[in-house]
Amino acid sequence: MTDQATHAWTGEVAAQRDGFTLLPEVEAVRDAGETRRVATPFGHEATMVSRYADVRELHGDPERFRLDGVPAPPALVAAGRDTAEFRRRQAGNLLGQEPPDHTRLRRMLTGEFTVKRMKRLVPRVEEIVTEHLDAMEKAGPPAELVADFALPVPSMVICELLGVPYEDRGEFTERSARQLDSTIEPRERMRLADASREYMSDLVARHREAPGDDLLGMLIREHTGDTTGDVTDDELIGIGNLLLVAGHETTSNMLSLGTLALLEHPDQLARVRDDPSAVDGAVEELLRRLTVVHGSFPRAVVADTTLGGHPVAAGELVIASLVAANHDPEVVEHAEELDISRPPSPHLAFGHGIHHCLGAPLARIEMRVAFPALLQRFPGLRLAGEPEFRHRTLIYGLHRLPLAW
């Protein structure tokens, strides 16, 4: 058994694959319809489900399985944070809330992330992509795709949308990458979280003085004041931090991993490069196949019930393996293979239910623009060294992807 395989059940819910390959131990549990007790990266013990149907059931029923019933992670308690403080710091974080607060906050944001609204951003996304490809071409090969393209493109997009100064990107991208590292010690994780809150708190204060046309400015202009139901400063901080991290980390890793996956399948790469009609299907297949968010946040069982035919007790925590579910052979034939021509499946890369990723339309637009633009600019694109995978991290991806053309 490899080191990573050992981690699958001993504390690394994040370590469920080797390269692009799902670990055999994870596959076996899913295919047998079993569950496993796991330790999350934050120190909770939870029951993990991995079949597609079970994951949809878990995510689709906030009445039985609630994010806001999860106590403070033991690692944070040991570091000096109690559950009350944990709850306060969850304000605005839609991934830790349930109705009615989740409903209230999501309603404020949904209009800004509709497919129609996101399509208005296409020209600006195209400009940003072109600027970075121009810089890569001018510098000449070799290039490092993560640093030169995959990370800065979605970072600039989310900065402009949210109202974050782009010159701060070095600080927040490094900090978020460390926060997502599942090996970080609890006190260091707490320090990083404090730094993120302090940064966003200062930014919210500046936006209050002069609200702009960005997302933070909109929330302050339209949803703050003295009326019941308005967004609080803690919620603004939580919303800002969630969107800033999710808005660049997920798409960045999809762009780098997706490029590597296509390089391993030259015929499919050629279709994405040369056939505009193939791009949308390719993006959906890459989302399913790569599933950069390994697993969901734990949910608390409200009352004794069953999940996937297995009894779960009130107070127990349950977590889902999204990557295993997206490779479920009961849903997708030959799921371990990349096939951009397969009919799109209702994958779970963006989650499911009321917590389905708010930014999914934006992520899709960025990928639909970036992949063909990169491949068309550099038709001879090839590896110029060994890719460096991000193992043991809550969002899968690459540290480095050296390329030439």
Side-chain angles (χ1 to χ4, degrees):
M1 184 179 291
T2 67
D3 182 54
Q4 284 189 349
T6 301
H7 286 148
W9 312 126
T10 60
E12 293 298 335
V13 171
Q16 297 187 47
R17 51 191 141 179
D18 184 5
F20 291 125
T21 304
L22 195 65
L23 293 174
E25 291 80 3
V26 180
E27 280 191 326
V29 169
R30 179 202 60 210
D31 294 348
E34 297 175 354
T35 63
R36 276 294 184 272
R37 291 295 289 173
V38 299
T40 74
F42 303 102
H44 292 113
E45 284 197 4
T47 296
M48 189 174 81
V49 296
S50 51
R51 291 193 307 177
Y52 180 89
D54 299 345
V55 173
R56 278 181 61 99
E57 181 182 356
L58 174 64
H59 282 222
D61 194 342
E63 295 300 317
R64 288 194 297 154
F65 310 108
R66 293 186 68 90
L67 289 159
D68 59 1
V70 177
L76 292 187
V77 173
R81 294 275 163 81
D82 61 14
T83 294
E85 175 66 6
F86 175 65
R87 291 277 182 270
R88 187 179 77 81
R89 287 169 173 268
Q90 286 288 84
N93 180 0
L94 297 178
L95 296 179
Q97 295 182 311
E98 299 288 6
D101 284 337
H102 177 272
T103 306
R104 173 177 59 87
L105 295 174
R106 180 126 183 170
R107 188 178 294 125
M108 295 178 187
L109 296 166
T110 298
E112 301 299 312
F113 286 92
T114 62
V115 173
K116 182 177 181 181
R117 184 71 62 89
M118 290 296 101
K119 283 183 176 179
R120 297 179 191 172
L121 293 178
V122 170
R124 181 55 184 148
V125 173
E126 291 174 339
E127 288 178 0
I128 292 171
V129 166
T130 299
E131 290 169 6
H132 287 82
L133 292 176
D134 288 347
M136 286 174 60
E137 187 171 28
K138 183 177 180 180
E144 203 292 282
L145 191 76
V146 175
D148 295 341
F149 185 74
L151 181 57
V153 166
S155 296
M156 182 174 284
V157 172
I158 195 62
C159 279
E160 293 186 1
L161 181 67
L162 189 57
V164 174
Y166 186 59
E167 57 267 26
D168 295 347
R169 68 192 182 280
E171 176 187 349
F172 71 70
T173 56
E174 179 180 358
R175 186 168 56 235
S176 65
R178 284 183 56 74
Q179 285 180 276
L180 293 169
D181 183 343
S182 64
T183 68
I184 291 293
E185 290 296 319
R187 290 191 181 278
E188 174 63 6
R189 188 183 300 279
M190 193 163 65
R191 186 193 68 78
L192 291 166
D194 288 344
S196 294
R197 282 187 60 83
E198 183 178 351
Y199 172 78
M200 192 56 64
S201 177
D202 290 344
L203 190 61
V204 166
R206 281 183 281 167
H207 276 271
R208 280 198 178 278
E209 292 179 1
D213 294 329
D214 44 65
L215 188 59
L216 284 175
M218 178 279 294
L219 288 170
I220 288 168
R221 286 195 315 274
E222 299 183 14
H223 298 289
T224 61
D226 298 325
T227 60
T228 301
D230 280 346
V231 65
T232 66
D233 273 0
D234 276 341
E235 288 171 336
L236 285 170
I237 292 167
I239 290 169
N241 274 329
L242 171 64
L243 295 180
L244 183 59
V245 173
H248 78 272
E249 276 284 352
T250 52
T251 307
S252 167
N253 286 295
M254 275 300 305
L255 291 176
S256 58
L257 277 179
T259 300
L260 178 59
L262 291 171
L263 286 170
E264 293 184 356
H265 297 80
D267 55 334
Q268 300 188 57
L269 182 151
R271 287 196 60 202
V272 175
R273 183 188 64 217
D274 301 332
D275 182 2
S277 69
V279 174
D280 287 5
V283 166
E284 296 308 309
E285 173 67 353
L286 287 167
L287 283 164
R288 181 203 67 80
R289 178 68 182 80
L290 303 176
T291 314
V292 296
V293 180
H294 297 269
S296 64
F297 284 88
R299 288 160 164 79
V301 180
V302 173
D304 292 355
T305 185
T306 60
L307 176 59
H310 298 279
V312 285
E316 187 175 339
L317 302 186
V318 186
I319 196 168
S321 171
L322 298 177
V323 61
N326 273 341
H327 294 188
D328 191 337
E330 292 293 321
V331 180
V332 179
E333 292 185 0
H334 309 295
E336 286 299 307
E337 298 176 5
L338 181 72
D339 180 3
I340 66 170
S341 66
R342 77 167 86 237
S345 64
H347 61 73
L348 301 169
F350 292 120
H352 173 67
I354 65 172
H355 293 95
H356 183 272
C357 177
L358 186 68
L362 176 60
R364 286 187 166 105
I365 283 172
E366 290 174 314
M367 287 183 277
R368 289 167 182 169
V369 171
F371 281 127
L374 171 68
L375 301 177
Q376 290 164 12
R377 179 68 69 96
F378 305 117
L381 200 66
R382 64 187 186 277
L383 286 176
E386 283 296 315
E388 183 182 342
F389 281 87
R390 288 172 49 159
H391 298 299
R392 305 184 72 181
T393 181
L394 303 184
I395 297 179
Y396 201 52
L398 294 167
H399 288 297
R400 296 180 66 255
L401 182 60
L403 298 176
W405 52 87

